[in-house]
Amino acid sequence: MTRTAHHPIPWNDTTLQALNRRFCDAPPEALLAWAAAEFGDRAALTCSFGGAAGMVLLDMIARQRLPIAVLFLDTDLLFPETYALAAEVERRYGLPVIRQRPALSLEAQARQHGPELYARDPDRCCALRKVAPLAEALRPYQAWISGIRREQTAQRAATEPVAWNAKYGLLKLSPLATWSARQVWAYLHTHAVPYNPLLDRGYPSLGCVPCTHPAHPDDPRAGRWSGFAKTECGIHT
Ligand code: SF4
């Protein structure tokens, strides 16, 4: 892994505000290019291969031939279509997808925490199968790029393109923070980007099989964790 950046850089309120002024109305490609110039291969995109926005960013990174790593959190509980898309992306773009799996197999988790933890305590299950693996996956990186958008949930409404993420100790970049769902889909169709076919079959958002159900397309996070007051797995909170 090479270092292209001249770090440490003091990420304080002043520098972050300046970056957000610069990138708030800029095309997402501009923030991705800045991340690549600043961090080189110490920047990583997390892509779920479930949502549409991650595919936009992945395509932009591939098109610009940026050295940004692509991380895939594999909970062992994803849809077959999700695994198939990750494999298709590797073939089509020639991009290595770095797969991060939980420390506990499903069997070990069932032995330690009981079967079907997701049905009893989804926060605990997400902590084990998503949050802890993400922390492990991000350890080598200085910048984390994700496809979250302001309009997705109330919790994401204040998302800035550039923010310090104290939880993981790195800069978090959200190049699509201000994009609408319409912009995301327009990009995918214009550039013929592959996406998860379940998004065309009544799933507005995709995660693990036990916690994802078809839902009304007007609510981008509906259909996740039905029966619980939960809209986030914890990696973005
Ligand atoms: Fe567990 Fe459901 Fe969270 Fe997946 S989305 S880690 S199955 S609680």
Side-chain angles (χ1 to χ4, degrees), residues 82-107:
T82 302
Y83 292 113
L85 180 59
E88 181 188 347
V89 160
E90 283 199 300
R91 280 194 304 273
R92 175 166 167 171
Y93 291 98
L95 273 177
V97 172
I98 302 169
R99 182 178 302 216
Q100 181 74 37
R101 297 176 72 188
L104 292 178
S105 67
L106 289 171
E107 295 74 20

PDB file of all heavy atoms in Angstrom, residues 82-107:
ATOM      1  N   THR A  82     -27.146 -10.243  -4.350  1.00  0.00           N
ATOM      2  CA  THR A  82     -26.107  -9.318  -3.868  1.00  0.00           C
ATOM      3  C   THR A  82     -24.717  -9.913  -4.103  1.00  0.00           C
ATOM      4  O   THR A  82     -23.810  -9.234  -4.594  1.00  0.00           O
ATOM      5  CB  THR A  82     -26.332  -9.032  -2.367  1.00  0.00           C
ATOM      6  OG1 THR A  82     -27.644  -8.483  -2.203  1.00  0.00           O
ATOM      7  CG2 THR A  82     -25.297  -8.060  -1.824  1.00  0.00           C
ATOM      8  N   TYR A  83     -24.571 -11.193  -3.754  1.00  0.00           N
ATOM      9  CA  TYR A  83     -23.274 -11.852  -3.992  1.00  0.00           C
ATOM     10  C   TYR A  83     -22.967 -11.908  -5.489  1.00  0.00           C
ATOM     11  O   TYR A  83     -21.829 -11.721  -5.916  1.00  0.00           O
ATOM     12  CB  TYR A  83     -23.287 -13.259  -3.390  1.00  0.00           C
ATOM     13  CG  TYR A  83     -23.325 -13.269  -1.885  1.00  0.00           C
ATOM     14  CD1 TYR A  83     -24.429 -13.731  -1.197  1.00  0.00           C
ATOM     15  CD2 TYR A  83     -22.242 -12.799  -1.147  1.00  0.00           C
ATOM     16  CE1 TYR A  83     -24.464 -13.730   0.196  1.00  0.00           C
ATOM     17  CE2 TYR A  83     -22.270 -12.792   0.241  1.00  0.00           C
ATOM     18  CZ  TYR A  83     -23.384 -13.256   0.909  1.00  0.00           C
ATOM     19  OH  TYR A  83     -23.410 -13.237   2.282  1.00  0.00           O
ATOM     20  N   ALA A  84     -24.007 -12.162  -6.294  1.00  0.00           N
ATOM     21  CA  ALA A  84     -23.804 -12.246  -7.747  1.00  0.00           C
ATOM     22  C   ALA A  84     -23.358 -10.894  -8.308  1.00  0.00           C
ATOM     23  O   ALA A  84     -22.496 -10.836  -9.193  1.00  0.00           O
ATOM     24  CB  ALA A  84     -25.092 -12.711  -8.428  1.00  0.00           C
ATOM     25  N   LEU A  85     -23.932  -9.812  -7.775  1.00  0.00           N
ATOM     26  CA  LEU A  85     -23.550  -8.483  -8.264  1.00  0.00           C
ATOM     27  C   LEU A  85     -22.101  -8.160  -7.897  1.00  0.00           C
ATOM     28  O   LEU A  85     -21.355  -7.599  -8.718  1.00  0.00           O
ATOM     29  CB  LEU A  85     -24.496  -7.425  -7.698  1.00  0.00           C
ATOM     30  CG  LEU A  85     -24.210  -5.983  -8.130  1.00  0.00           C
ATOM     31  CD1 LEU A  85     -24.281  -5.823  -9.649  1.00  0.00           C
ATOM     32  CD2 LEU A  85     -25.194  -5.014  -7.444  1.00  0.00           C
ATOM     33  N   ALA A  86     -21.691  -8.511  -6.705  1.00  0.00           N
ATOM     34  CA  ALA A  86     -20.294  -8.256  -6.314  1.00  0.00           C
ATOM     35  C   ALA A  86     -19.340  -8.988  -7.265  1.00  0.00           C
ATOM     36  O   ALA A  86     -18.318  -8.437  -7.689  1.00  0.00           O
ATOM     37  CB  ALA A  86     -20.063  -8.695  -4.870  1.00  0.00           C
ATOM     38  N   ALA A  87     -19.692 -10.229  -7.605  1.00  0.00           N
ATOM     39  CA  ALA A  87     -18.836 -11.001  -8.518  1.00  0.00           C
ATOM     40  C   ALA A  87     -18.855 -10.394  -9.922  1.00  0.00           C
ATOM     41  O   ALA A  87     -17.821 -10.313 -10.594  1.00  0.00           O
ATOM     42  CB  ALA A  87     -19.318 -12.448  -8.562  1.00  0.00           C
ATOM     43  N   GLU A  88     -20.031  -9.935 -10.356  1.00  0.00           N
ATOM     44  CA  GLU A  88     -20.138  -9.321 -11.691  1.00  0.00           C
ATOM     45  C   GLU A  88     -19.299  -8.043 -11.773  1.00  0.00           C
ATOM     46  O   GLU A  88     -18.633  -7.783 -12.786  1.00  0.00           O
ATOM     47  CB  GLU A  88     -21.601  -9.006 -12.004  1.00  0.00           C
ATOM     48  CG  GLU A  88     -21.791  -8.381 -13.395  1.00  0.00           C
ATOM     49  CD  GLU A  88     -23.218  -7.890 -13.625  1.00  0.00           C
ATOM     50  OE1 GLU A  88     -24.118  -8.251 -12.834  1.00  0.00           O
ATOM     51  OE2 GLU A  88     -23.411  -7.141 -14.604  1.00  0.00           O
ATOM     52  N   VAL A  89     -19.321  -7.255 -10.695  1.00  0.00           N
ATOM     53  CA  VAL A  89     -18.546  -6.007 -10.674  1.00  0.00           C
ATOM     54  C   VAL A  89     -17.053  -6.305 -10.785  1.00  0.00           C
ATOM     55  O   VAL A  89     -16.318  -5.611 -11.512  1.00  0.00           O
ATOM     56  CB  VAL A  89     -18.879  -5.214  -9.392  1.00  0.00           C
ATOM     57  CG1 VAL A  89     -17.789  -4.203  -9.070  1.00  0.00           C
ATOM     58  CG2 VAL A  89     -20.218  -4.520  -9.553  1.00  0.00           C
ATOM     59  N   GLU A  90     -16.606  -7.320 -10.086  1.00  0.00           N
ATOM     60  CA  GLU A  90     -15.176  -7.666 -10.165  1.00  0.00           C
ATOM     61  C   GLU A  90     -14.790  -8.022 -11.597  1.00  0.00           C
ATOM     62  O   GLU A  90     -13.740  -7.612 -12.086  1.00  0.00           O
ATOM     63  CB  GLU A  90     -14.867  -8.829  -9.230  1.00  0.00           C
ATOM     64  CG  GLU A  90     -14.792  -8.398  -7.786  1.00  0.00           C
ATOM     65  CD  GLU A  90     -14.049  -9.411  -6.932  1.00  0.00           C
ATOM     66  OE1 GLU A  90     -14.505 -10.561  -6.883  1.00  0.00           O
ATOM     67  OE2 GLU A  90     -13.035  -9.031  -6.323  1.00  0.00           O
ATOM     68  N   ARG A  91     -15.652  -8.782 -12.266  1.00  0.00           N
ATOM     69  CA  ARG A  91     -15.362  -9.172 -13.650  1.00  0.00           C
ATOM     70  C   ARG A  91     -15.435  -7.967 -14.577  1.00  0.00           C
ATOM     71  O   ARG A  91     -14.534  -7.710 -15.365  1.00  0.00           O
ATOM     72  CB  ARG A  91     -16.394 -10.214 -14.130  1.00  0.00           C
ATOM     73  CG  ARG A  91     -16.142 -11.631 -13.672  1.00  0.00           C
ATOM     74  CD  ARG A  91     -17.003 -12.590 -14.460  1.00  0.00           C
ATOM     75  NE  ARG A  91     -18.418 -12.276 -14.382  1.00  0.00           N
ATOM     76  CZ  ARG A  91     -19.236 -12.723 -13.418  1.00  0.00           C
ATOM     77  NH1 ARG A  91     -18.754 -13.487 -12.487  1.00  0.00           N
ATOM     78  NH2 ARG A  91     -20.516 -12.407 -13.419  1.00  0.00           N
ATOM     79  N   ARG A  92     -16.525  -7.211 -14.456  1.00  0.00           N
ATOM     80  CA  ARG A  92     -16.795  -6.153 -15.422  1.00  0.00           C
ATOM     81  C   ARG A  92     -15.827  -4.976 -15.307  1.00  0.00           C
ATOM     82  O   ARG A  92     -15.369  -4.432 -16.291  1.00  0.00           O
ATOM     83  CB  ARG A  92     -18.236  -5.671 -15.241  1.00  0.00           C
ATOM     84  CG  ARG A  92     -18.604  -4.499 -16.107  1.00  0.00           C
ATOM     85  CD  ARG A  92     -20.104  -4.341 -16.111  1.00  0.00           C
ATOM     86  NE  ARG A  92     -20.463  -3.053 -16.668  1.00  0.00           N
ATOM     87  CZ  ARG A  92     -21.690  -2.703 -16.957  1.00  0.00           C
ATOM     88  NH1 ARG A  92     -22.682  -3.545 -16.783  1.00  0.00           N
ATOM     89  NH2 ARG A  92     -21.946  -1.509 -17.445  1.00  0.00           N
ATOM     90  N   TYR A  93     -15.542  -4.587 -14.074  1.00  0.00           N
ATOM     91  CA  TYR A  93     -14.688  -3.418 -13.878  1.00  0.00           C
ATOM     92  C   TYR A  93     -13.226  -3.796 -13.645  1.00  0.00           C
ATOM     93  O   TYR A  93     -12.373  -2.919 -13.632  1.00  0.00           O
ATOM     94  CB  TYR A  93     -15.171  -2.602 -12.681  1.00  0.00           C
ATOM     95  CG  TYR A  93     -16.496  -1.895 -12.888  1.00  0.00           C
ATOM     96  CD1 TYR A  93     -17.677  -2.436 -12.417  1.00  0.00           C
ATOM     97  CD2 TYR A  93     -16.565  -0.674 -13.549  1.00  0.00           C
ATOM     98  CE1 TYR A  93     -18.901  -1.783 -12.581  1.00  0.00           C
ATOM     99  CE2 TYR A  93     -17.775  -0.007 -13.725  1.00  0.00           C
ATOM    100  CZ  TYR A  93     -18.932  -0.576 -13.238  1.00  0.00           C
ATOM    101  OH  TYR A  93     -20.122   0.070 -13.409  1.00  0.00           O
ATOM    102  N   GLY A  94     -12.978  -5.070 -13.391  1.00  0.00           N
ATOM    103  CA  GLY A  94     -11.618  -5.466 -13.074  1.00  0.00           C
ATOM    104  C   GLY A  94     -11.150  -4.879 -11.754  1.00  0.00           C
ATOM    105  O   GLY A  94      -9.956  -4.665 -11.539  1.00  0.00           O
ATOM    106  N   LEU A  95     -12.097  -4.620 -10.875  1.00  0.00           N
ATOM    107  CA  LEU A  95     -11.787  -4.023  -9.572  1.00  0.00           C
ATOM    108  C   LEU A  95     -11.754  -5.120  -8.518  1.00  0.00           C
ATOM    109  O   LEU A  95     -12.705  -5.885  -8.412  1.00  0.00           O
ATOM    110  CB  LEU A  95     -12.910  -3.064  -9.165  1.00  0.00           C
ATOM    111  CG  LEU A  95     -12.886  -1.630  -9.621  1.00  0.00           C
ATOM    112  CD1 LEU A  95     -14.157  -0.942  -9.130  1.00  0.00           C
ATOM    113  CD2 LEU A  95     -11.685  -0.923  -9.043  1.00  0.00           C
ATOM    114  N   PRO A  96     -10.710  -5.203  -7.731  1.00  0.00           N
ATOM    115  CA  PRO A  96     -10.765  -6.158  -6.625  1.00  0.00           C
ATOM    116  C   PRO A  96     -11.731  -5.667  -5.550  1.00  0.00           C
ATOM    117  O   PRO A  96     -11.668  -4.508  -5.142  1.00  0.00           O
ATOM    118  CB  PRO A  96      -9.323  -6.187  -6.109  1.00  0.00           C
ATOM    119  CG  PRO A  96      -8.733  -4.895  -6.538  1.00  0.00           C
ATOM    120  CD  PRO A  96      -9.449  -4.448  -7.780  1.00  0.00           C
ATOM    121  N   VAL A  97     -12.642  -6.516  -5.160  1.00  0.00           N
ATOM    122  CA  VAL A  97     -13.569  -6.175  -4.079  1.00  0.00           C
ATOM    123  C   VAL A  97     -13.050  -6.849  -2.817  1.00  0.00           C
ATOM    124  O   VAL A  97     -12.890  -8.073  -2.775  1.00  0.00           O
ATOM    125  CB  VAL A  97     -14.994  -6.656  -4.419  1.00  0.00           C
ATOM    126  CG1 VAL A  97     -15.917  -6.475  -3.216  1.00  0.00           C
ATOM    127  CG2 VAL A  97     -15.539  -5.909  -5.636  1.00  0.00           C
ATOM    128  N   ILE A  98     -12.759  -6.041  -1.806  1.00  0.00           N
ATOM    129  CA  ILE A  98     -12.200  -6.569  -0.553  1.00  0.00           C
ATOM    130  C   ILE A  98     -13.356  -6.945   0.366  1.00  0.00           C
ATOM    131  O   ILE A  98     -14.110  -6.084   0.822  1.00  0.00           O
ATOM    132  CB  ILE A  98     -11.287  -5.520   0.109  1.00  0.00           C
ATOM    133  CG1 ILE A  98     -10.160  -5.127  -0.858  1.00  0.00           C
ATOM    134  CG2 ILE A  98     -10.735  -6.050   1.426  1.00  0.00           C
ATOM    135  CD1 ILE A  98      -9.362  -3.925  -0.415  1.00  0.00           C
ATOM    136  N   ARG A  99     -13.499  -8.240   0.605  1.00  0.00           N
ATOM    137  CA  ARG A  99     -14.635  -8.741   1.374  1.00  0.00           C
ATOM    138  C   ARG A  99     -14.263  -8.854   2.848  1.00  0.00           C
ATOM    139  O   ARG A  99     -13.257  -9.456   3.191  1.00  0.00           O
ATOM    140  CB  ARG A  99     -15.037 -10.105   0.827  1.00  0.00           C
ATOM    141  CG  ARG A  99     -16.231 -10.719   1.512  1.00  0.00           C
ATOM    142  CD  ARG A  99     -16.589 -12.036   0.870  1.00  0.00           C
ATOM    143  NE  ARG A  99     -16.877 -11.905  -0.544  1.00  0.00           N
ATOM    144  CZ  ARG A  99     -17.801 -12.598  -1.191  1.00  0.00           C
ATOM    145  NH1 ARG A  99     -18.522 -13.475  -0.543  1.00  0.00           N
ATOM    146  NH2 ARG A  99     -17.988 -12.440  -2.483  1.00  0.00           N
ATOM    147  N   GLN A 100     -15.058  -8.254   3.701  1.00  0.00           N
ATOM    148  CA  GLN A 100     -14.835  -8.338   5.154  1.00  0.00           C
ATOM    149  C   GLN A 100     -15.979  -9.117   5.779  1.00  0.00           C
ATOM    150  O   GLN A 100     -17.148  -8.772   5.600  1.00  0.00           O
ATOM    151  CB  GLN A 100     -14.770  -6.934   5.763  1.00  0.00           C
ATOM    152  CG  GLN A 100     -14.508  -6.923   7.252  1.00  0.00           C
ATOM    153  CD  GLN A 100     -13.064  -7.259   7.595  1.00  0.00           C
ATOM    154  OE1 GLN A 100     -12.151  -6.862   6.888  1.00  0.00           O
ATOM    155  NE2 GLN A 100     -12.868  -8.004   8.673  1.00  0.00           N
ATOM    156  N   ARG A 101     -15.657 -10.184   6.489  1.00  0.00           N
ATOM    157  CA  ARG A 101     -16.686 -10.997   7.121  1.00  0.00           C
ATOM    158  C   ARG A 101     -16.601 -10.862   8.641  1.00  0.00           C
ATOM    159  O   ARG A 101     -15.560 -10.477   9.180  1.00  0.00           O
ATOM    160  CB  ARG A 101     -16.538 -12.448   6.678  1.00  0.00           C
ATOM    161  CG  ARG A 101     -16.752 -12.576   5.185  1.00  0.00           C
ATOM    162  CD  ARG A 101     -16.529 -13.965   4.705  1.00  0.00           C
ATOM    163  NE  ARG A 101     -17.600 -14.858   5.121  1.00  0.00           N
ATOM    164  CZ  ARG A 101     -17.552 -16.166   4.945  1.00  0.00           C
ATOM    165  NH1 ARG A 101     -16.507 -16.718   4.400  1.00  0.00           N
ATOM    166  NH2 ARG A 101     -18.564 -16.906   5.318  1.00  0.00           N
ATOM    167  N   PRO A 102     -17.694 -11.194   9.342  1.00  0.00           N
ATOM    168  CA  PRO A 102     -17.684 -11.094  10.807  1.00  0.00           C
ATOM    169  C   PRO A 102     -16.695 -12.076  11.428  1.00  0.00           C
ATOM    170  O   PRO A 102     -16.355 -13.106  10.825  1.00  0.00           O
ATOM    171  CB  PRO A 102     -19.120 -11.472  11.195  1.00  0.00           C
ATOM    172  CG  PRO A 102     -19.930 -11.344   9.946  1.00  0.00           C
ATOM    173  CD  PRO A 102     -18.999 -11.636   8.813  1.00  0.00           C
ATOM    174  N   ALA A 103     -16.257 -11.777  12.648  1.00  0.00           N
ATOM    175  CA  ALA A 103     -15.348 -12.683  13.358  1.00  0.00           C
ATOM    176  C   ALA A 103     -16.036 -14.003  13.671  1.00  0.00           C
ATOM    177  O   ALA A 103     -15.406 -15.056  13.665  1.00  0.00           O
ATOM    178  CB  ALA A 103     -14.865 -12.017  14.652  1.00  0.00           C
ATOM    179  N   LEU A 104     -17.339 -13.942  13.949  1.00  0.00           N
ATOM    180  CA  LEU A 104     -18.096 -15.147  14.291  1.00  0.00           C
ATOM    181  C   LEU A 104     -18.822 -15.685  13.071  1.00  0.00           C
ATOM    182  O   LEU A 104     -19.514 -14.931  12.374  1.00  0.00           O
ATOM    183  CB  LEU A 104     -19.149 -14.837  15.364  1.00  0.00           C
ATOM    184  CG  LEU A 104     -18.663 -14.478  16.766  1.00  0.00           C
ATOM    185  CD1 LEU A 104     -19.863 -14.157  17.662  1.00  0.00           C
ATOM    186  CD2 LEU A 104     -17.849 -15.621  17.370  1.00  0.00           C
ATOM    187  N   SER A 105     -18.694 -16.985  12.821  1.00  0.00           N
ATOM    188  CA  SER A 105     -19.551 -17.608  11.813  1.00  0.00           C
ATOM    189  C   SER A 105     -20.986 -17.589  12.343  1.00  0.00           C
ATOM    190  O   SER A 105     -21.225 -17.344  13.540  1.00  0.00           O
ATOM    191  CB  SER A 105     -19.113 -19.053  11.563  1.00  0.00           C
ATOM    192  OG  SER A 105     -19.365 -19.827  12.723  1.00  0.00           O
ATOM    193  N   LEU A 106     -21.931 -17.873  11.468  1.00  0.00           N
ATOM    194  CA  LEU A 106     -23.326 -17.917  11.925  1.00  0.00           C
ATOM    195  C   LEU A 106     -23.512 -18.989  12.995  1.00  0.00           C
ATOM    196  O   LEU A 106     -24.256 -18.794  13.963  1.00  0.00           O
ATOM    197  CB  LEU A 106     -24.249 -18.190  10.733  1.00  0.00           C
ATOM    198  CG  LEU A 106     -24.395 -17.027   9.749  1.00  0.00           C
ATOM    199  CD1 LEU A 106     -25.146 -17.484   8.503  1.00  0.00           C
ATOM    200  CD2 LEU A 106     -25.109 -15.852  10.401  1.00  0.00           C
ATOM    201  N   GLU A 107     -22.811 -20.099  12.821  1.00  0.00           N
ATOM    202  CA  GLU A 107     -22.929 -21.188  13.784  1.00  0.00           C
ATOM    203  C   GLU A 107     -22.353 -20.769  15.142  1.00  0.00           C
ATOM    204  O   GLU A 107     -22.943 -21.017  16.201  1.00  0.00           O
ATOM    205  CB  GLU A 107     -22.204 -22.432  13.263  1.00  0.00           C
ATOM    206  CG  GLU A 107     -22.805 -23.047  12.009  1.00  0.00           C
ATOM    207  CD  GLU A 107     -22.531 -22.230  10.736  1.00  0.00           C
ATOM    208  OE1 GLU A 107     -21.581 -21.419  10.731  1.00  0.00           O
ATOM    209  OE2 GLU A 107     -23.285 -22.388   9.764  1.00  0.00           O
TER     210      GLU A 107
END
